[in-house]
Amino acid sequence: MSHIHVTNPIDENVLADLRRSHHVTVGFGDDARGWGEVATTVEATIVRAETIDARMIASAPRLKIIARHGVGTDNVDLDAAAAAGIWVTTTPGANARAVAEHVFALMLTLIRRVREASSSVQRGRWSEERPSLTGGELNGRTLLLVGGGGIAALVAPIARGFGMRVVVADPYLAPEAAHELGVGLAGLDDALPSADVVSLHVPLTAETRHLLDDRRLGLLPARAVVINTSRGGVIDEAALVARLRSGALAGAGLDVIEAESIDMNDPLTHTRTDLTLGNLLVTPHVAGQTEEALVVVGRLAAQSVEQALAGRRPDRAVRDLAATAVV
């Protein structure tokens, strides 16, 4: 019976299926069971946001596969895994719809000032603050998608349904593909000055780290709103917060932050005031975490695990292993 360790929630039915033929443990870090307690026996792990670094890989001599929810792999040391003969898999597209919808949850909450309006009512003020709670409409605004991958391809038609003009900044997106999506194509620096909303959809790489830095944030008009459901590191958070405080930007909706935790010494979260700024909305990396998406990503991750444990190449492997590192 193989030992599978699950570090984040997956669908209960998927978990039950795995438990029929495997020993399954759940939890990580501050949860019920830490990596140190399972490392020597674990043969497969299903992760989402948890970091799996070289030290952890070295401590798990029986590990055959790291199956990750989503498409990003910046939280997994791919080189260390490959050197140890460990497969790394993702679930591309499985939660794309959920993330795309969360983009608009953040966008509408900020632009329609939903949080402030609800807070006003909760304080017993039905009409007194109404004049100060006037929001805006998406219709007629320009949405700049930074990155033109699968999630952006779902965001674009939803935005057009709201009457938005959609522009994509992606040096790898062919003009024909942009035309098929019904969007304009522009360079990032050229597109920022006319953007009303910027939504980021890029992986975290050396090229994209702090892609929206202070200079580029300064190109945005004061009315602009920034949405990030990709990776926290693609924005210079200190510069973002400074511009939100000064009113140089209208708002920001973040589902990810660079630290992936609440650290009061971090530029974004070093005071509670930062987290409660009226024009800053932060959710804890839950854009892809819907009931529907958890079923799909759970099934795909479990399928990859079963393939690897059976000695086969998983269908959604990030990279092939060397011939000398066969599972």
Side-chain angles (χ1 to χ4, degrees), residues 127-296:
S127 59
E128 294 88 341
E129 297 178 16
R130 190 181 297 160
S132 67
L133 295 172
T134 302
E137 297 178 8
L138 299 187
N139 181 52
R141 300 198 184 206
T142 296
L143 169 63
L144 171 59
L145 298 174
V146 182
I151 295 172
L154 292 174
V155 170
I158 299 173
R160 291 200 307 273
F162 276 107
M164 302 184 82
R165 172 177 175 262
V166 185
V167 177
V168 175
D170 186 335
Y172 305 105
L173 186 67
E176 303 80 38
H179 178 74
E180 191 173 320
L181 280 175
V183 301
L185 194 59
L188 180 56
D189 286 4
D190 294 334
L192 287 169
S194 58
D196 297 299
V197 182
V198 178
S199 186
L200 292 150
H201 301 282
V202 294
L204 180 60
T205 65
E207 183 182 15
T208 62
R209 183 172 292 279
H210 289 188
L211 183 66
L212 279 193
D213 55 11
D214 187 60
R215 181 187 69 81
R216 283 195 167 121
L217 289 169
L219 296 176
L220 286 166
R223 66 179 182 275
V225 167
V226 175
I227 306 294
N228 187 13
T229 55
S230 58
R231 289 293 183 270
V234 302
I235 298 179
D236 181 338
E237 292 173 353
L240 176 68
V241 168
R243 290 185 177 276
L244 290 172
R245 280 204 191 112
S246 69
L249 282 177
L254 312 177
D255 185 55
V256 285
I257 58 176
E258 193 159 2
E260 275 296 302
S261 65
I262 299 299
D263 179 357
M264 290 312 190
N265 294 313
D266 182 81
L268 183 67
T269 61
H270 74 280
T271 69
R272 294 189 184 278
T273 303
D274 289 336
L275 289 175
T276 57
L277 283 171
N279 57 355
L280 174 62
L281 187 65
V282 182
T283 55
H285 203 160
V286 295
Q289 190 173 310
T290 62
E291 293 177 2
E292 296 84 352
L294 286 177
V295 172
V296 179

Side-chain angles (χ1 to χ4, degrees), residues 14 23 27 49-50 84 101 159-160 187 199 206 218 222 285 300-301 314:
V14 174
H23 171 56
E50 298 287 355
E101 291 186 7
R160 291 200 307 273
S199 186
H285 203 160
L300 292 179

Side-chain angles (χ1 to χ4, degrees), residues 36-51:
E37 297 179 55
V38 302
T40 58
T41 60
V42 67
E43 295 172 65
T45 183
I46 299 176
V47 306
R48 183 166 179 261
E50 298 287 355
T51 295

